[in-house]
Amino acid sequence: MSALNPYRPGLFISLEGIDGAGKSTQLQTVVDVLRAANRQVMLTREPGGTEIGEKIRELLLHETMRPATEALLMFAARQEHVLRVIEPALLGGTDVVCDRFTAATLAYQGGGKGIPTERLEALARWVHPGLCPDCIILIDVPPEVAAQRLEQTRQRDRFEQESVDFFARVRANYLQQAASSPEKWRVIDGTQTPEAVQKTITGYLNKVLQEFDSK
């Protein structure tokens, strides 16, 4: 059973960070560490992960909408994702590595766009009651660094086009979440080389797995 969530055997890990943090580069690192420990692993993403979720993702990334609509669509996609993909995998003993989860909604739609935290948390309790990642890896970079990296992206989506001030608010919210639950979060300096970030993630996850195996 999961060391942190004893009702299910799979380990649930999410990777978080503002756009341009280098998060996507490290997703495979997480998968590789788990597989090296002979664990079954599934990699997925949010918004997305299901046929309906991927259609909602396209709307969210490319269509202009109000922040409340954005948040509701995020949770609509998450509902399908949790029920059809994440929970079945975890209950079946497969580890789930997710590119963003509810922490991202709290940071982007809450911290970035001003939707009250209590509203988002109420939606989270409705959509996935009792389910949260066992550990959350936040790859943290200043928004100015992220902006420089995003300039190299040929075609940026609606979120990637947001201002530096917006990403500063998102980052602040992420760090606030991490500070409130240090036992669950690991903040990693994303301004390091990709190799250094990879090494830090590997060391952290090996400790998580040791804790898991000791239970």
Side-chain angles (χ1 to χ4, degrees):
M1 293 294 179
S2 165
L4 300 177
N5 288 279
Y7 79 94
R8 55 176 166 77
L11 192 63
F12 186 14
I13 300 171
S14 72
L15 242 66
E16 302 287 347
I18 64 174
D19 291 88
K23 169 181 54 62
S24 298
T25 304
Q26 299 299 335
L27 282 166
Q28 193 59 46
T29 297
V30 178
V31 172
D32 290 344
V33 171
L34 296 173
R35 286 180 176 161
N38 296 315
R39 301 182 65 83
Q40 295 294 317
V41 187
M42 181 186 70
L43 177 62
T44 188
R45 69 179 182 178
E46 289 213 343
T50 66
E51 183 176 352
I52 293 174
E54 292 297 327
K55 291 178 179 178
I56 293 174
R57 180 185 182 89
E58 286 301 306
L59 292 173
L60 285 164
L61 294 186
H62 303 295
E63 299 294 334
T64 302
M65 62 188 71
R66 294 181 181 276
T69 304
E70 195 174 276
L72 290 168
L73 284 175
M74 287 286 185
F75 277 105
R78 186 164 296 134
Q79 169 87 117
E80 291 293 310
H81 197 199
V82 167
L83 294 180
R84 294 180 181 271
V85 176
I86 295 176
E87 281 192 337
L90 293 172
L91 291 171
T94 296
D95 294 341
V96 174
V97 178
C98 195
D99 184 354
R100 304 191 190 280
F101 196 60
T102 296
T105 308
L106 292 169
Y108 274 75
Q109 284 69 50
K113 299 198 173 180
I115 295 180
T117 298
E118 59 269 20
R119 294 184 185 178
L120 298 174
E121 290 179 340
L123 286 168
R125 289 192 297 270
W126 181 33
V127 168
H128 54 91
L131 175 68
C132 60
D134 295 302
C135 55
I136 302 170
I137 299 172
L138 172 63
I139 301 181
D140 177 53
V141 298
E144 295 80 10
V145 172
Q148 291 175 357
R149 294 175 179 177
L150 288 173
E151 286 179 359
Q152 303 173 14
T153 303
R154 292 184 179 180
Q155 188 173 4
R156 288 185 285 175
D157 63 43
R158 188 167 62 87
F159 289 98
E160 291 170 338
Q161 295 174 27
E162 290 282 0
S163 68
V164 170
D165 288 343
F166 170 82
F167 285 117
R169 296 193 299 274
V170 174
R171 182 197 186 198
N173 186 281
Y174 266 136
L175 292 173
Q176 183 179 18
Q177 291 184 63
S180 67
S181 301
E183 74 287 350
K184 186 182 294 288
W185 286 70
R186 176 61 192 267
V187 180
I188 296 175
D189 180 4
T191 64
Q192 304 175 91
T193 65
E195 294 76 16
V197 174
Q198 181 181 22
K199 182 177 179 180
T200 303
I201 289 174
T202 299
Y204 167 64
L205 287 177
N206 282 330
K207 291 181 180 179
V208 170
L209 291 173
Q210 289 175 3
E211 177 186 351
F212 178 92
D213 291 337
S214 69
K215 297 295 181 177

